[in-house]
C-alpha cells in the first residue's frame, strides 16, 4: 500500500499505481483504467471486490477441508518414525501369516 501511495503522490492514476505496486494484475489495472477513463469506476471496484471476496472464501474453505487429511498424514508419519525408533508395534498390519 505504501508503494501505491508513493506512485499516487507522483501523479499516477489508481490503476497505474496499483499495477506498479503489485496490487493489481495487468488485466485488473486495464479494467480500472478503462473505468476511470469512462468516468465512474464504482461498478468496477464493486465487481473486483466481489471477485476477491469469493476468492478469499473459497481459499478458506479449501484450507479447512485440507486440515484433517494433513493432520492424519502427519500423525501416520510420526507414528511410523516412532515405531522404527522404538521397535514397538501397536498393530500387526493387514498381512496374513503364511
Amino acid at each position: 500500500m505504501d508503494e501505491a501511495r508513493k506512485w499516487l503522490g507522483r501523479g499516477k492514476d489508481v490503476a497505474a499505481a496499483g499495477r506498479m505496486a503489485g496490487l493489481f494484475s495487468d488485466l485488473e489495472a486495464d479494467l480500472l483504467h478503462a473505468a476511470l477513463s469512462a468516468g465512474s469506476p464504482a461498478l468496477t471496484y464493486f465487481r473486483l471486490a466481489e471477485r476477491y471476496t469469493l476468492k478469499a472464501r473459497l481459499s478458506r474453505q479449501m484450507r479447512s477441508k485440507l486440515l484433517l487429511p494433513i493432520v492424519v498424514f502427519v500423525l501416520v508419519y510420526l507414528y511410523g518414525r516412532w515405531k522404527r525408533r522404538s521397535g514397538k508395534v501397536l498393530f500387526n498390519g493387514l498381512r496374513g501369516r503364511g
Side-chain angles (χ1 to χ4, degrees), residues 43-62:
L43 185 58
T44 304
Y45 287 143
F46 180 74
R47 287 188 177 159
L48 285 173
E50 282 182 334
R51 180 174 182 256
Y52 286 122
T53 302
L54 176 64
K55 283 177 72 172
R57 184 173 52 85
L58 292 175
S59 177
R60 279 192 312 270
Q61 285 178 350
M62 185 175 66

Side-chain angles (χ1 to χ4, degrees), residues 59-74:
S59 177
R60 279 192 312 270
Q61 285 178 350
M62 185 175 66
R63 276 186 300 210
S64 70
K65 290 184 187 233
L66 286 176
L67 183 62
L68 181 62
I70 289 171
V71 168
V72 169
F73 175 77
V74 169

Side-chain angles (χ1 to χ4, degrees), residues 67-98:
L67 183 62
L68 181 62
I70 289 171
V71 168
V72 169
F73 175 77
V74 169
L75 289 175
V76 167
Y77 174 76
L78 292 175
Y79 171 72
R81 289 185 55 124
W82 174 76
K83 186 172 81 169
R84 274 182 266 142
R85 288 175 109 194
S86 66
K88 296 180 181 179
V89 178
L90 294 179
F91 304 104
N92 286 333
L94 299 176
R95 291 185 297 200
R97 295 182 186 179

